[in-house]
Amino acid sequence: MTSSTSHRTRAIRIWDLPLRLFHWLLTLCVVGAFVTAQLGGLWMDVHVRFGIATLGLLIFRLIWGLIGPYHARFGNFVRGPAAMLHYVRGRHLSAGHSPIGAAATLLLLLSLLVQVSTGLFANDGILIEGPLAHWVSGATSDTLTAVHHINKIVLLVLVILHLLAIAWYTLVRRQPLVRAMITGNKPAGQVPERTPPSDDDWRIALRAAVIAGLVAAVLAGWLGSAL
């Protein structure tokens, strides 16, 4: 077997376990927050908890994007306009996120951060308010509530585009992104040669557990009354 054939048939670990857990837990929280918001009433208490959990996950991802394994780090997959143009022209092969996918991921994370941040100060005008609403005036809370509702539409659009992109990659480009986010592996033929695999051993899991524990402890101390 030639080296090129071996490269095509091997699988490369791209997404580490903590990053995969983040992805699926974030999906659960976003869906849960959306459903409970539509149900309203007493479900808004659960909605707030989903929002706080989402905030914790986002803080973890920001930290993991700085000190996580190679392919999880923002500096190793965020690219500029030139890389995006090369990708559109079919001249750029990415191991993890494509240049356009990286930009879309950052936009989605930013929109989620805006959503949970404004939700901390929002109110429904009746019974439920965010855990930090008492820190600001009623007018400021109302303004942030309006931003929260507007950004919900932006977030929904970004999520729909994300799902359409996954469908396009799966059906047209024959890249099983969902399976890769479950197993952590991508076929070596779909990544550049000599792509380094992500570290994904017990040391990585321990590092992630420590970070997640610290984030949870900080949020519990800060927003404990809302949990």
Side-chain angles (χ1 to χ4, degrees):
M1 180 181 292
T2 65
S3 60
S4 61
T5 301
S6 175
H7 176 75
R8 288 194 300 270
T9 57
R10 289 186 295 112
I12 304 294
R13 177 56 55 88
I14 300 298
W15 308 121
D16 56 88
L17 179 60
L19 187 60
R20 290 170 1 239
L21 288 175
F22 158 81
H23 179 274
W24 294 115
L25 288 173
L26 184 66
T27 301
L28 174 64
C29 286
V30 170
V31 172
F34 178 79
V35 171
T36 51
Q38 303 313 303
L39 292 174
L42 296 178
W43 284 101
M44 292 304 295
D45 285 329
V46 182
H47 176 78
V48 171
R49 288 174 172 79
F50 273 124
I52 293 173
T54 300
L55 176 61
L57 288 168
L58 291 174
I59 294 173
F60 171 84
R61 182 63 183 99
L62 292 174
I63 298 173
W64 204 240
L66 299 176
I67 64 173
Y70 181 85
H71 296 290
R73 299 189 182 189
F74 297 124
N76 291 324
F77 68 81
V78 176
R79 296 291 181 266
M84 294 182 189
L85 183 60
H86 286 167
Y87 178 77
V88 171
R89 293 175 175 175
R91 300 174 186 172
H92 186 100
L93 186 61
S94 301
H97 293 293
S98 69
I100 294 178
T105 297
L106 291 181
L107 283 175
L108 185 56
L109 292 176
L110 178 61
S111 181
L112 282 168
L113 189 59
V114 170
Q115 194 67 4
V116 296
S117 298
T118 55
L120 293 175
F121 302 91
N123 69 85
D124 68 352
I126 305 174
L127 293 174
I128 305 300
E129 61 180 18
L132 301 183
H134 61 282
W135 283 19
V136 298
S137 67
T140 300
S141 178
D142 290 342
T143 299
L144 293 174
T145 301
V147 174
H148 190 73
H149 289 304
I150 294 171
N151 186 68
K152 180 180 73 173
I153 299 173
V154 175
L155 183 56
L156 282 173
V157 170
L158 291 174
V159 168
I160 291 171
L161 290 176
H162 180 69
L163 294 175
L164 289 175
I166 291 174
W168 183 76
Y169 270 98
T170 301
L171 300 175
V172 178
R173 302 201 66 171
R174 303 297 181 184
Q175 295 186 20
L177 298 186
V178 174
R179 186 171 67 190
M181 192 51 70
I182 294 174
T183 66
N185 300 326
K186 290 185 71 174
Q190 296 179 1
V191 302
E193 291 197 39
R194 295 183 294 278
T195 293
S198 278
D199 295 328
D200 196 15
D201 55 18
W202 68 269
R203 289 178 290 268
I204 295 298
L206 179 60
R207 186 193 309 175
V210 170
I211 295 171
L214 290 174
V215 171
V218 170
L219 286 181
W222 186 35
L223 304 171
S225 62
L227 298 177

